[in-house]
Amino acid sequence: MSSEVRVRFAPSPTGYLHVGGARTALFNYLFAKHHGGSFILRIEDTDRTRYQSDALDEIFTSLRWLGLTWDEGPEIEGSCGPYFQSERTSLYREKVDALVESGHAYPCFCSSQRLQKLREEQEKAKLAHVSGYDRHCRNLSQDEVTKRISQNEPHVYRLKIPDNRIVSFTDMIRGEIEYKSETLDDLVLLKSDGFPTYHLANVVDDHLMGITHVMRGDEWIASTPRHVLLYEAFGWDLPVFAHLPVILAPGGGKLSKRKGAASVLDYKRAGYLPEGLVNFLALLGWAPGNDQEKMSSQELVDLFTLERVSPKASVFDEQKLEWMNGLYMQERSVGSLLEEAHLVWKEAGEVSHEQLKDMAYLSQVIGLLKDRSKTLKELATNSFYFFNDPNSYEEKAVKKRWKGDALTVLQSLTSLFESMSNFSQQSLEDAFNDYAQKKELSLGKLIHPTRLAVSGVSFGPGLYEMLELIGQETVVRRMKNAVLWLDNFQKEKNS
Ligand code: GLU
């Protein structure tokens, strides 16, 4: 590509950044980086009725957490600022004046009551098209316009949609798209409060910010013919358009904020790693063209092309996300997980204040569990016995592992543990081997009952490492508790 690629992500701060929005940001980011171009963040905050003040922070934090840092935008200086549309209102005003001057736009004085009535009549008549504004003010005389404006009569500005036109544009993902101009009504460009509509501000800014490729969710596709006509009215070149495929919710239907699309930060709180989520999101509608699924950010940048984005909808498959995240959990060093895991443990509230301060211990727990946990949350959930004595024993495992002479085995092992002067992994392994040999028991007959006694569950990391980490005193206490419990349990069963 010869000229510099410039793309933008243009969220409206009307709520949290959900994963669908993050996919749009990611595709823009990957495209920019692939072509050595710029990724711009623009805040479309002109709809003051839907504005939410904490949404901005959440958008910034989410994008940064995912590693989608912008080259220009809020907090990052660039040559096309300001990057908040609310700070650019005079620009939009100027542009609308120019359109009025050139005969492409006109003021409209229709009251909301009139428009409401019009809508009702149209609904009743069930007009197939040309619903929407009836061009009532399109041909007012210049004198009348001047007079009404000088009397401060509230008004909006509308674009004159030309008659009998086929409005067409090329979508990089879907090919040629055509709309008949009859299906479009004279859209509002500037509202009576002086704020621009999405259409006007979006087109003006894409042009002024030198955006070469507009990549956005496919819900915006119906807006594009209007934008094409706006570009035409201004006499500006069109950017390249690419409407990204729909993401379906797991249970069917479009994934939306209302339907299952959790916020990016919810995934962070649920213990996902940013690189896992990014890799998963990249595959929602795009594929590298071979079977490769796990790709680092750099690989994604190297491989990403719009040609490989499919127009077909893709499903947000939570299980695949978990699986993908698990691959990154294995890859991560213990140290790099510590801070994030710490937050998850803290939030879960099962680890005491004191224990949360013991970074060496926490690191060792992560080391033992990270390869067998798909998320940090799963790691935290499965780690409870490293911090607390079990208060119950897995029922199925009790039946399977604590039968026959398990009680005697647990009693003997308790004494053995108590007598050990060195409670290292190696000494434990030697002690288990000796004991198994002496008693002519399989190792399984020792390992499984012990694991259940110490952790309360039937799964976990290697037993010897686990016992060493939990420590002699705690292990002995838990063994004694288990012996008491089992003894009682057997007595009750036999009575
Ligand atoms: N502000 C719009 C949104 O919230 C931007 C759409 C576009 O990218 O043109 O998604």
Side-chain angles (χ1 to χ4, degrees), residues 277-401:
L277 186 54
V278 160
N279 194 157
F280 170 79
L281 290 176
L283 296 171
L284 290 178
W286 173 83
N290 53 28
D291 289 341
Q292 194 181 358
E293 294 214 282
K294 181 168 179 286
M295 283 163 278
S296 67
S297 302
Q298 190 52 51
E299 280 174 302
L300 290 174
V301 166
D302 293 343
L303 294 168
F304 187 84
T305 62
L306 272 181
E307 287 73 25
R308 300 217 60 89
V309 176
S310 149
K312 278 203 246 110
S314 48
V315 179
F316 195 93
D317 177 351
E318 295 265 357
Q319 270 164 2
K320 181 168 175 184
L321 170 58
E322 268 194 10
W323 164 79
M324 178 69 78
N325 201 68
L327 301 181
Y328 285 98
M329 290 284 292
Q330 289 171 20
E331 203 171 78
R332 278 285 200 102
S333 71
V334 168
S336 76
L337 288 174
L338 187 57
E339 197 180 322
E340 282 146 305
H342 195 268
L343 281 176
V344 179
W345 267 316
K346 202 165 153 194
E347 195 132 312
E350 307 245 341
V351 180
S352 75
H353 198 62
E354 277 310 297
Q355 287 167 324
L356 274 175
K357 280 199 233 152
D358 190 347
M359 295 302 169
Y361 187 75
L362 297 181
S363 299
Q364 291 187 72
V365 175
I366 295 172
L368 288 189
L369 293 182
K370 76 179 186 67
D371 288 3
R372 57 188 70 243
S373 311
K374 293 194 197 70
T375 64
L376 288 165
K377 190 117 178 210
E378 186 180 337
L379 186 152
T381 307
N382 289 343
S383 71
F384 74 93
Y385 54 81
F386 285 101
F387 306 101
N388 299 303
D389 289 1
N391 51 18
S392 65
Y393 303 102
E394 211 182 285
E395 214 178 299
K396 245 166 96 186
V398 168
K399 275 199 199 118
K400 189 164 167 197
R401 305 296 185 193

Side-chain angles (χ1 to χ4, degrees), residues 152-379:
N152 284 332
E153 193 174 328
H155 57 283
V156 302
Y157 285 88
R158 291 182 183 270
L159 180 70
K160 281 186 190 166
I161 297 282
D163 291 323
N164 304 318
R165 276 278 311 279
I166 300 289
V167 186
S168 64
F169 58 92
T170 311
D171 181 286
M172 286 280 280
I173 300 168
R174 284 150 219 272
E176 276 303 293
I177 296 183
E178 291 187 345
Y179 282 79
K180 288 197 176 104
S181 64
E182 284 79 13
T183 60
L184 312 168
D185 69 348
D186 285 2
L187 56 131
V188 175
L189 300 173
L190 203 69
K191 295 180 275 187
S192 54
D193 60 4
F195 275 93
T197 57
Y198 154 72
H199 302 294
L200 176 70
N202 189 269
V203 166
V204 166
D205 286 347
D206 281 348
H207 175 73
L208 295 181
M209 294 182 178
I211 300 304
T212 56
H213 296 73
V214 168
M215 264 170 264
R216 58 184 164 211
D218 90 323
E219 68 271 27
W220 298 102
I221 209 160
S223 296
T224 307
R226 295 170 168 87
H227 296 184
V228 169
L229 290 173
L230 250 177
Y231 277 99
E232 207 179 280
F234 280 122
W236 295 338
D237 288 341
L238 290 182
V240 175
F241 291 103
H243 292 90
L244 306 177
V246 178
I247 305 174
L248 297 174
K254 196 177 154 179
L255 188 80
S256 65
K257 278 194 190 180
R258 278 167 291 280
K259 203 161 180 185
S263 79
V264 167
L265 294 185
D266 277 344
Y267 284 95
K268 179 175 193 269
R269 283 184 283 268
Y272 286 87
L273 300 174
E275 61 270 39
L277 186 54
V278 160
N279 194 157
F280 170 79
L281 290 176
L283 296 171
L284 290 178
W286 173 83
N290 53 28
D291 289 341
Q292 194 181 358
E293 294 214 282
K294 181 168 179 286
M295 283 163 278
S296 67
S297 302
Q298 190 52 51
E299 280 174 302
L300 290 174
V301 166
D302 293 343
L303 294 168
F304 187 84
T305 62
L306 272 181
E307 287 73 25
R308 300 217 60 89
V309 176
S310 149
K312 278 203 246 110
S314 48
V315 179
F316 195 93
D317 177 351
E318 295 265 357
Q319 270 164 2
K320 181 168 175 184
L321 170 58
E322 268 194 10
W323 164 79
M324 178 69 78
N325 201 68
L327 301 181
Y328 285 98
M329 290 284 292
Q330 289 171 20
E331 203 171 78
R332 278 285 200 102
S333 71
V334 168
S336 76
L337 288 174
L338 187 57
E339 197 180 322
E340 282 146 305
H342 195 268
L343 281 176
V344 179
W345 267 316
K346 202 165 153 194
E347 195 132 312
E350 307 245 341
V351 180
S352 75
H353 198 62
E354 277 310 297
Q355 287 167 324
L356 274 175
K357 280 199 233 152
D358 190 347
M359 295 302 169
Y361 187 75
L362 297 181
S363 299
Q364 291 187 72
V365 175
I366 295 172
L368 288 189
L369 293 182
K370 76 179 186 67
D371 288 3
R372 57 188 70 243
S373 311
K374 293 194 197 70
T375 64
L376 288 165
K377 190 117 178 210
E378 186 180 337
L379 186 152

Side-chain angles (χ1 to χ4, degrees), residues 107-176:
C108 163
F109 302 91
C110 291
S111 64
S112 49
Q113 290 87 328
R114 177 175 186 276
L115 296 176
Q116 174 66 22
K117 210 163 140 232
L118 182 65
R119 252 193 308 273
E120 284 164 13
E121 280 165 12
Q122 284 171 344
E123 260 162 45
K124 236 189 266 160
K126 289 212 173 38
L127 290 180
H129 54 259
V130 203
S131 54
Y133 187 58
D134 62 356
R135 300 183 170 185
H136 186 72
C137 293
R138 182 155 158 160
N139 296 311
L140 299 181
S141 71
Q142 189 51 48
D143 284 349
E144 184 173 356
V145 167
T146 317
K147 190 171 131 228
R148 292 173 80 167
I149 290 183
S150 67
Q151 287 167 347
N152 284 332
E153 193 174 328
H155 57 283
V156 302
Y157 285 88
R158 291 182 183 270
L159 180 70
K160 281 186 190 166
I161 297 282
D163 291 323
N164 304 318
R165 276 278 311 279
I166 300 289
V167 186
S168 64
F169 58 92
T170 311
D171 181 286
M172 286 280 280
I173 300 168
R174 284 150 219 272
E176 276 303 293

